[in-house]
Structure formats: structure tokens, C-alpha cells
């Protein structure tokens, strides 16, 4: 079984309060998932759909032995981004221009419970995606949540009703009142603010009345319980009753559940102070989560000073309006969707707040752009992942708001290193295409945006669009669009030549550009030109000179602590040494590449890099490992949206290395191991490729099991699978409800049984063996 960990996706962070009730619904939903492939949990806002599926998904995955992937669509406002969002969550890097097609290819042979949460605002596209997945991917089960059905022919609905409440006309005893799950929920949440609270003979009728007035709606009950710090149950009930009578005439057209939630929200809003109301409304512009710095930047003005924001934010957390989640060393805040919608209705100065929101995230993008190529840029990219939904909101504001396109050009192009490092070039390209159409002209920043867009078009093989954009960039440069636009347009032209096979032009142009960028002090583009010049020179007949060029560039990047540049220069040098150097040289270079790639902590390797690592394995005599890597490279290339063989000078040597492994292993064994590599997920490919124990000059195969079934217990198999996913002993202990000492004992047994020495070897072995072993 493989389940997205807390670290993989913050949406799966456990609720701070325990889950209460719904045992019957959990059993019924599990039973339905055992026989149906598309199940939609439908219900009113605040009824508890998300919490129910979170409870169900882990147990469903354990029963089926499948992967379980959770995708929260709440933060996705644009239907065009649904495919990108799902693709990233299932392990696709998001570099494809056609994410749905690549998603189907990736999921075709995988067994998975795929959970899409909060589909109601994207109902048509979610229905279409579900239909295509069901048709193309026979082992995928879809579990959706929505306020309305998808209306798909194969859909089975699971209506989720509010929790049962005590009967108004049948008085209950104290014990009977306490037995209701809805009462248990209220008491549990009330005790979080008043630890001594309990159901008594004196307050039982008031509690029963309160939960009835709230129609047993879990979110409404939790919001009301938070006011127990300052109000008694009786006062809560009286105030809510007054609110219901006041709003009753206005709300008659709504369903009872929707009325109950909105009345509770209105009541909670009225009980807030003016500053709390203002912050609640302004924070509705955020998507996903946000930190304190963002809240200060976006939500303050002359009415609500920045120095007041932290105190007001804490107060709203205490009232359960905002949720606080720990991310790394800090806290981030989230509004539940119903509360966000209500706050947005009360946002008076929407355009100004949204502009401040855009400006805040534009500043983060500018800071990243200035750090490009330094050791600080990759950690910044990693940190910005949590703000991806907010970048989408900011970019959408620039697309939709007249006069804001130029700001959008700068924002999207300043995120260039982020799009690339996180393999989200296709989304970056999509935003750039829309922004360039939204704001025609030659304003500041357009040349930069056009060149970024051209780069993304070229790397996915859309050479016609790349050429069209390069022509526009040259015209902008000619008319003063940007001081370095002409040189950068020539850089992109040379890069395009490497893809289309005009290697003479590419080599000549890159040699000139290295000198020009050096003279202008643009070290990043100088090193990028050195990367292309070095491996083009080597593969067009002068490997000695090509290696010298790359090593000189590498020394410069090391001297200036430019980890990103080191990584891609070592990537090129690995290819050159694997093709032209000795096995020992190739192995030494690969170990350096593995080290720097592991340091970056960024997304999985591209197909051409995986293929080059396979070349090294073949040179070392480990043809089995080479075959696995060649299969992994094929899948990675498809996922990234282009074939690595589009690089003309890469094709012939790659075919030669592949054929060497095929001859050494025989067709049957080659295909078997090639298929293992093809079936790897992106994290599995990264773990396998970065195994330092596999890179040596004797061709020793490490990190693998011997032939035959592994002699591990089921618990040991589960531990090995969690090691493969990168969890620490403490995290594994929490996941399996064990002590860390017991986890360490299991790991020691695994190492001894498989004759391994490191956790990396366990992870690599698990990549090849664990799924088949767990299904046996």
C-alpha cells in the first residue's frame, strides 16, 4: 500500500480534533467502493464530506493494497488547470502541454484509489476527466466529493446527510442524549475551549435544542462550540434562535442544511469584532493556505493596521474561522471553503485587496528571479510550492483585469525557475500564452515573457510556436523591448537548432554567446550556454574539448556556489563521460550528479538524464540496472511532454547503449526489466537513480533482492514501502501506530534478511519488488 504522506500533501494533515461518529457511513462507503469505480459523496456545505473520505481512503487503500492519492480541488478556480493539478498529485511533473493525455498514459496500468475533493465548482470538467479515466484506466477507482452529482452514467451517489439529532417531541434521558454522535461532537469541541464542560441534567435540553437548530451539521456545530469560551449553552441557543428568526424570511428558498450553515456563519460573523470581520473578508482572496507575512501584506490598510493583524488572526483561529496548520517550522492559515465564500460576500474593496494580493506574490517571484542560479534559488522554489494556488489566483487576476496584463508578464516570467525546477513548464506556458493575448503591445516585460514562452514551446517540441515567438522577440529587441533580448533570442535560436539537428549552427552560436554573456556579466546565461556548447562540442566530434568546456563551467559554478548550474553541468558531463570516458570516469561524474541532485530536493529527473545514468550502468557492466533506467527514461519523457530523442545528437548513441543492454540480457530479460522501469512513479525513479551504492567500477549490483520471493513478513513489507517513500522512523511509527523502537527493529530485520547496509538499498529494492509482494 502507498498513501500520500502528510509531507507530500498538506491536505492530508490530520485534523487537530478527533473524528467522531459516522461509523455506519464509513462501512457503507467502503462496501460501495469494493464494487463500484466511480462514487460521488454528495451533501450540503459543512456536512463533513471531506472528513469522511479522509477517514475512508486509508482503510480502502489498505484493503485493496492500492495507491491512494488525494487531490483537493478547492483551490483550483480555473477548469483548464484541473488536469495539471491531478497530474502533479499522481506523480507527473506537470511539464506536459496535454496533461490529461499523459495522465491517462500514466494511470493506465496503475492500481489506485484517486480521491477528487470539492468538485462542485468544476463539475463539467471533473465529469469529463472521470469518464476518460474510467474508460482508459481499468484499475483506477474514483472517489469524489461534491455538493451536486457529476451526472455521469457510471456514477454511484453516496448522499451524506447531517448527523441525527434528538427528537423535538420525544424527551431523552441524560444517557440517551449523551449517546448521540452529534452531542459527542459538540461536547468534544466545547471541551477544547472549556475543559470542564459536560452534559448534565441542567443543560441536556439546551444542548439538544442547539444541535437541532443547527440541523446536525458538523461544521455549524463546531463553529458554535467555539463560542463556549464566552457564552453558555443557553445563551448560544437563544442568540442562534434570534438569528434564525431574523434571517428566516430571507432564507426560505434555501435547503434546511444550507440555511443552518449560512445562519450559523452570519451569527458567527455578527459576533466578531469589526477588525475580525474585516480580516475574515479580506483573507477570502487567498487560495489554499497563507502565512502571517502574507496576511499582513494583503489584509492591512488604514482601517486595520499591519501590527494588529497577528492578534486578530489568532482570535479568528480561536473561533475556528481560520484553521492553523504547521508547515515546516512555521504556521500557515486556511479558510474552509464555506467560510471563504461567506467572507468574499462581505469584501467591500475587492479590487484593491486582490491587487495587494497580486503584488505580494509578485514580490516573492521577483525575489526568486534575483536568486536564480544561486544556492538560494532551489530552496526558495521548494518553499513556494505551498503558495502555488495563490500564484494561480494572482495570475488569473492579471488575465481577467483590464490593464494588468503587463504585471502578469513580469509575474509569470519571474517564476521561470520555479516552473522549470518543479516541472510545471506547461502551466507556466499556459499562463504566458493567455497573458500575452490579454495585453498586446511592447510594454516593459513583454520580451522577457515572450522568450520564456518560446523556451517552454521548444522543450516540449512545439517548434513552430517556438519559432513564431522567437520572431516576436527579435522584433521587440529591434524596437527596444529589452536590452538583452537580442542575445537571449539568439540563445533560444541556438537551443532550437540542437533540437532540430542543425548542430553546426548551434555550436557556433553558443560559442559566441558564452563570450557575450561573460562580457555583460550575465553568469547564469553564460553557464547555460557553456552547458549546451560543451555537450554539443563533444557529440559533434571533439569530446576532449567538450569535457574541458563543461569542467571549466563546473569549476566556476562551484566557486560561486551555484548549485542549480552545477546540477545541469554535471548532467551534461555524465552524458559525455558515459559515451567517451572510461567506466571509472563515468562512475565518478555520476556520483557527483547524484550528490547535487539529492541536495536540491527538487522534482524527479528528466528522461534524457535517466537515460544517461543508464549508459553509465551499462559501461559498468550492470545491464539489468541499465534496462530499468531506460524504461524509466521512456516514461519520464512521455510525462514531460516530449521525446528525449527529439534531441537529434542524442538519438544514435542512446540506441547503441540500449542495444548493448538488450544483447547482454537477451530480449526477454531486457523487456522484463525495461517494463519495471516504465512502471515506476516519479518518486520511485528519483530514488532508484540516486542510489549511490549502485555506482561503482566493478559493476556490483546493490540494493536489489535476489531472485524469488522476499522473505519478509507483511509488516516488514509495509515498513519497507514507507522507507521507499522517504519517511523517517518517527513518521513510520505514527503511520503504523508503532513505537519508533519497534520500527527500528523491523528495519534491522529487513537489512539482515536482504543483506543490505543502507535505507537507500531498501528503498531501491522496494521500488522493484514491494507492489508485487504486497499483492501476493
Amino acid at each position: 500500500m502507498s498513501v500520500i504522506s502528510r509531507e507530500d500533501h498538506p491536505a492530508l494533515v490530520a485534523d487537530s480534533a478527533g473524528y467522531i461518529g459516522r461509523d455506519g457511513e464509513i462501512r457503507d462507503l467502503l462496501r460501495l467502493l469494493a464494487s463500484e469505480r466511480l462514487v460521488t459523496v454528495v451533501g450540503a456545505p459543512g456536512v463533513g464530506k471531506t472528513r469522511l473520505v479522509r477517514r475512508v481512503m486509508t482503510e480502502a487503500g489498505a484493503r485493496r493494497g492500492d495507491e491512494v492519492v488525494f487531490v483537493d480541488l478547492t483551490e483550483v478556480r480555473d477548469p483548464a488547470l484541473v488536469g495539471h493539478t491531478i497530474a502533479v498529485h499522481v506523480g507527473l511533473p506537470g511539464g506536459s502541454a496535454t496533461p490529461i493525455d499523459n495522465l491517462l498514459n500514466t494511470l493506465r496500468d496503475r492500481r489506485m484509489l484517486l480521491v477528487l475533493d470539492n468538485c462542485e465548482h468544476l463539475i463539467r470538467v471533473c465529469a469529463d476527466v472521470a469518464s476518460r479515466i474510467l474508460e482508459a484506466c481499468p484499475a483506477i477507482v474514483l472517489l469524489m466529493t461534491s455538493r451536486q452529482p457529476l451526472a455521469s452514467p457510471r456514477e454511484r451517489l453516496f448522499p451524506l446527510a447531517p448527523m441525527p439529532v434528538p427528537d423535538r417531541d420525544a424527551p431523552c434521558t441524560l444517557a440517551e442524549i449523551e449517546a448521540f454522535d452529534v452531542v459527542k461532537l459538540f461536547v468534544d469541541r466545547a471541551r477544547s475551549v472549556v475543559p470542564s464542560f459536560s452534559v448534565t441534567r441542567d443543560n441536556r435540553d439546551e444542548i439538544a435544542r442547539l444541535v437541532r437548530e443547527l440541523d446536525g451539521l458538523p461544521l455549524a456545530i463546531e463553529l458554535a462550540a467555539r463560542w463556549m469560551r464566552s457564552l453558555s449553552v443557553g445563551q448560544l441557543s437563544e442568540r442562534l434562535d434570534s438569528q434564525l428568526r431574523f434571517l428566516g424570511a430571507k432564507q426560505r428558498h434555501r435547503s434546511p442544511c444550507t440555511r443552518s450553515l449560512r445562519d450559523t456563519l452570519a451569527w458567527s460573523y455578527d459576533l466578531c469584532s469589526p477588525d475580525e470581520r474585516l480580516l475574515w473578508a479580506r483573507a477570502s482572496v487567498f487560495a489554499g493556505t497563507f502565512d502571517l507575512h502574507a496576511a499582513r501584506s494583503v489584509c492591512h490598510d488604514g482601517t486595520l493596521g499591519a501590527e494588529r493583524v497577528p492578534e486578530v488572526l489568532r482570535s479568528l483561529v480561536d473561533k475556528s474561522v481560520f484553521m492553523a496548520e504547521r508547515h515546516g517550522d512555521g504556521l500557515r492559515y486556511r479558510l474552509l471553503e464555506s467560510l471563504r465564500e461567506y467572507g468574499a460576500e462581505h469584501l467591500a474593496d475587492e479590487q484593491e485587496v486582490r491587487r495587494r494580493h497580486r503584488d505580494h506574490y509578485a514580490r516573492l517571484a521577483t525575489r526568486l528571479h534575483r536568486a536564480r542560479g544561486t544556492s538560494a534559488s532551489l530552496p526558495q522554489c521548494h518553499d513556494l510550492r505551498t503558495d502555488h494556488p495563490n500564484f494561480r489566483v494572482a495570475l488569473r487576476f492579471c488575465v481577467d483585469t483590464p490593464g494588468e496584463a503587463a504585471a502578469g508578464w513580469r509575474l509569470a516570467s519571474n517564476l521561470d525557475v520555479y516552473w522549470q525546477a518543479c516541472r510545471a513548464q506547461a502551466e507556466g506556458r499556459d499562463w504566458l500564452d493567455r497573458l500575452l493575448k490579454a495585453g498586446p503591445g511592447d510594454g516593459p516585460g513583454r520580451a522577457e515573457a515572450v522568450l520564456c514562452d518560446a523556451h517552454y514551446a521548444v522543450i516540449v517540441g512545439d517548434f513552430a510556436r517556438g519559432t513564431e515567438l522567437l520572431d516576436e522577440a527579435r522584433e521587440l529587441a529591434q524596437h527596444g523591448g529589452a536590452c538583452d533580448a537580442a542575445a537571449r533570442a539568439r540563445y533560444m535560436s541556438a537551443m532550437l537548432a540542437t533540437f532540430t539537428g542543425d548542430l553546426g549552427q548551434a555550436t557556433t552560436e553558443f560559442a559566441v554567446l558564452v563570450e557575450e554573456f561573460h562580457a555583460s556579466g550575465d553568469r547564469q546565461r553564460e553557464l547555460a550556454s557553456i552547458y549546451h556548447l560543451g555537450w554539443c562540442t563533444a557529440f559533434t566530434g571533439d569530446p576532449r574539448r567538450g569535457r574541458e568546456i563543461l569542467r571549466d563551467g563546473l569549476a566556476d559554478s562551484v566557486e560561486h556556489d551555484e548549485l542549480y548550474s552545477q546540477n545541469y553541468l554535471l548532467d551534461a558531463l555524465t552524458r559525455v563521460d558515459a559515451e567517451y570516458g572510461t567506466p571509472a570516469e563515468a562512475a565518478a561524474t555520476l556520483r557527483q550528479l547524484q550528490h547535487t541532485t539529492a541536495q536540491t530536493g527538487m522534482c524527479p529527473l528528466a528522461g534524457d538524464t535517466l537515460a544517461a545514468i543508464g549508459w553509465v550502468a551499462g559501461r559498468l557492466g550492470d545491464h539489468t540496472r541499465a534496462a530499468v533506467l531506460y524504461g524509466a527514461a521512456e516514461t519520464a519523457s512521455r510525462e514531460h511532454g516530449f521525446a528525449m530523442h527529439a534531441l537529434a545528437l542524442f538519438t544514435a548513441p542512446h540506441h547503441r547503449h540500449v542495444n548493448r543492454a538488450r544483447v547482454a540480457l537477451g530480449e526477454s530479460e531486457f523487456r522484463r526489466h525495461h517494463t519495471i522501469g516504465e512502471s515506476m512513479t516519479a518518486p520511485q525513479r528519483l530514488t532508484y537513480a540516486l542510489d549511490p551504492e549502485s555506482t561503482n567500477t566493478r559493476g556490483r549490483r546493490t540494493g536489489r533482492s535476489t531472485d524469488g520471493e522476499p522473505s519478509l513478513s507483511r509488516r516488514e513489507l509495509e515498513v519497507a514501502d514507507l522507507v521507499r517513500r522517504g519517511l523517517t522512523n518517527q513518521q513510520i511509527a505514527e503511520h503504523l501506530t508503532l513505537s519508533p523502537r519497534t520500527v527500528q527493529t523491523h528495519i534491522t530485520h529487513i537489512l539482515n534478511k536482504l543483506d543490505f547496509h543502507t535505507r537507500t538499498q531498501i528503498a531501491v529494492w522496494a521500488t522493484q519488488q514491494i507492489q508485487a509482494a504486497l499483492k501476493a
Side-chain angles (χ1 to χ4, degrees), residues 1-3 58 61-62 65-68 721 724-725 735 771 774:
M1 179 189 70
S2 177
V3 180
T58 300
D66 296 347
E67 294 179 85
V68 179
D721 190 38
R724 173 185 65 80
R725 288 165 41 214
H735 190 91
Q771 294 301 324
L774 283 173

Side-chain angles (χ1 to χ4, degrees), residues 70-125:
F70 181 93
V71 184
D72 184 0
L73 296 176
T74 308
E75 63 201 31
V76 181
R77 304 279 184 258
D78 191 333
L81 296 177
V82 170
H84 291 291
T85 303
I86 299 173
V88 169
H89 280 77
V90 302
L92 274 156
S96 168
T98 54
I100 294 296
D101 291 340
N102 278 341
L103 176 65
L104 297 178
N105 287 333
T106 299
L107 296 181
R108 199 176 305 277
D109 299 317
R110 286 167 69 175
R111 293 179 57 85
M112 178 187 294
L113 174 63
L114 178 58
V115 182
L116 303 184
D117 191 36
N118 291 300
C119 300
E120 55 274 347
H121 60 301
L122 302 161
I123 204 75
R124 290 186 179 179
V125 68

Side-chain angles (χ1 to χ4, degrees), residues 176-248:
E176 288 170 337
I177 287 286
E178 289 180 318
F180 278 89
D181 286 334
V182 69
V183 173
K184 293 177 183 176
L185 176 65
F186 177 78
V187 172
D188 180 80
R189 301 317 190 240
R191 283 176 176 166
S192 68
V193 294
V194 182
S196 62
F197 182 77
S198 63
V199 183
T200 67
R201 286 184 174 82
D202 295 331
N203 66 17
R204 66 181 181 185
D205 292 338
E206 292 173 337
I207 292 174
R209 177 187 172 196
L210 180 64
V211 297
R212 277 197 303 268
E213 288 173 341
L214 297 175
D215 286 314
L217 207 62
L219 177 57
I221 287 165
E222 295 199 25
L223 289 171
R226 285 290 184 169
W227 289 100
M228 288 293 294
R229 188 193 307 274
S230 54
L231 300 172
S232 69
V233 180
Q235 289 171 322
L236 278 173
S237 184
E238 288 172 8
R239 292 198 177 201
L240 181 59
D241 187 51
S242 298
Q243 185 75 29
L244 291 173
R245 286 197 302 271
F246 176 73
L247 296 172

Side-chain angles (χ1 to χ4, degrees), residues 275-283 299 304 309 312-313 316 322:
D275 282 352
E276 289 170 343
R277 296 176 197 170
L278 197 58
L279 185 57
W280 182 347
R282 289 177 176 174
C299 298
L304 176 62
V309 169
V312 177
L313 190 57
L316 287 170
F322 291 169

Side-chain angles (χ1 to χ4, degrees), residues 280-349:
W280 182 347
R282 289 177 176 174
S284 68
V285 302
F286 290 106
T289 63
F290 57 95
D291 60 17
L292 179 58
H293 179 55
R296 279 186 174 132
S297 179
V298 175
C299 298
H300 88 280
D301 65 357
T303 305
L304 176 62
E307 73 284 351
R308 286 272 298 140
V309 169
E311 178 187 344
V312 177
L313 190 57
R314 282 193 298 271
S315 178
L316 287 170
V317 169
D318 287 341
K319 293 177 173 66
S320 287
V321 175
F322 291 169
M323 295 172 61
E325 303 174 354
R326 185 157 295 282
H327 286 249
D329 295 331
L331 284 177
R332 294 182 68 86
Y333 302 90
R334 177 193 297 274
L335 269 169
L336 294 179
E337 184 62 11
S338 298
L339 281 77
R340 189 198 67 77
E341 290 173 357
Y342 190 84
E345 294 175 9
H346 293 77
L347 181 58
D349 47 351

Side-chain angles (χ1 to χ4, degrees), residues 727-744:
L727 273 66
T728 65
N729 283 8
Q730 182 63 44
Q731 291 165 340
I732 294 172
E734 293 174 2
H735 190 91
L736 298 177
T737 320
L738 302 172
S739 70
R741 183 186 297 274
T742 301
V743 171
Q744 183 55 54

